[in-house]
Amino acid sequence: DSGVTQTPKHLITATGQRVTLRCSPRSGDLSVYWYQQSLDQGLQFLIQYYNGEERAKGNILERFSAQQFPDLHSELNLSSLELGDSALYFCASSDGTGANSGNTIYFGEGSWLTVV
Amino acid sequence: ELKVEQNPLFLSMQEGKNYTIYCNYSTTSDRLYWYRQDPGKSLESLFVLLSNGAVKQEGRLMASLDTKARLSTLHITAAVHDLSATYFCAVNLNFGNEKLTFGTGTRLTIIP
């Protein structure tokens, strides 16, 4: 158990709908990351937050958004869902200061999203 | 754009044998991560390599980093069935954040 908690574990929804994935980082970790894993794209970095502020952005679609709250939990919002959004979405956390600290980055169990 | 390549993509090996997984990356970096993933499961951190020449070992796995060659290796010694999994390397390039660019993964199957 990495200490990173994600909910829900599984989610089935229809095209055009909106879902929210939730992540609680390890106790004390200030950085939260979101990754998408799919068969065709592999593991893709979406976005990083550090202590409530967006720190880095990757291949995140405009239909997707994220935020990190004062208690450090994070949510990833996926809207106008398409079949191709079906994937395993991982949240990860580290206590990285953002200064190239080289800390281990711990991944949660993931949220399986199926769009039908 | 940073590219991270692993080879082989698939590897079947017999128990007791040794083998190496290679991870090449396209841009200078001195921060490389290795992860293990069982099917449908989370990514388990194996090693974090932070400098040229870094070598880390845990059980039957040993990882090394050559930043000049932009190459990391994951060596498996005397493989056992429990090591069957997909192994990913990931590179961090940017100062100020810890965005990881992952390789394609190596699916390792250990045959009794």
Side-chain angles (χ1 to χ4, degrees), chain B residues 7-62:
Chain B
N7 68 83
L9 296 183
F10 299 93
L11 176 58
S12 286
M13 52 191 293
Q14 285 187 317
E15 278 190 328
K17 301 289 188 184
N18 305 331
Y19 210 79
T20 301
I21 299 170
Y22 297 89
C23 174
N24 292 275
Y25 52 97
S26 60
T27 307
T28 300
S29 171
D30 59 1
R31 299 172 68 187
L32 191 131
Y33 300 71
W34 283 97
Y35 286 89
R36 167 187 171 141
Q37 186 181 34
D38 292 308
K41 301 294 187 182
S42 181
L43 292 155
E44 175 190 353
S45 177
L46 296 175
F47 302 107
V48 181
L49 304 170
L50 297 177
S51 61
N52 185 40
V55 177
K56 290 195 175 179
Q57 182 165 4
E58 181 73 34
R60 300 175 188 274
L61 301 178
M62 183 173 71

Side-chain angles (χ1 to χ4, degrees), chain A residues 32-36 42-49 55-60, chain B residues 94 97-102:
Chain A
V32 169
Y33 314 78
W34 288 97
Y35 285 84
Q36 180 196 60
L43 271 158
Q44 297 282 324
F45 170 76
L46 296 178
I47 198 163
Q48 178 200 2
Y49 281 83
R55 181 59 65 96
K57 215 165 187 175
N59 301 323
I60 187 166
Chain B
N94 301 309
N97 68 65
E98 285 160 320
K99 165 189 170 180
L100 296 181
T101 300
F102 280 85

Side-chain angles (χ1 to χ4, degrees), chain A residues 41-78:
Chain A
Q41 299 285 335
L43 271 158
Q44 297 282 324
F45 170 76
L46 296 178
I47 198 163
Q48 178 200 2
Y49 281 83
Y50 175 74
N51 202 20
E53 292 189 4
E54 183 183 304
R55 181 59 65 96
K57 215 165 187 175
N59 301 323
I60 187 166
L61 300 171
E62 284 191 11
R63 301 183 284 109
F64 296 0
S65 64
Q67 55 184 325
Q68 186 180 28
F69 295 88
D71 67 352
L72 300 177
H73 91 271
S74 178
E75 291 181 356
L76 178 67
N77 300 296
L78 315 174

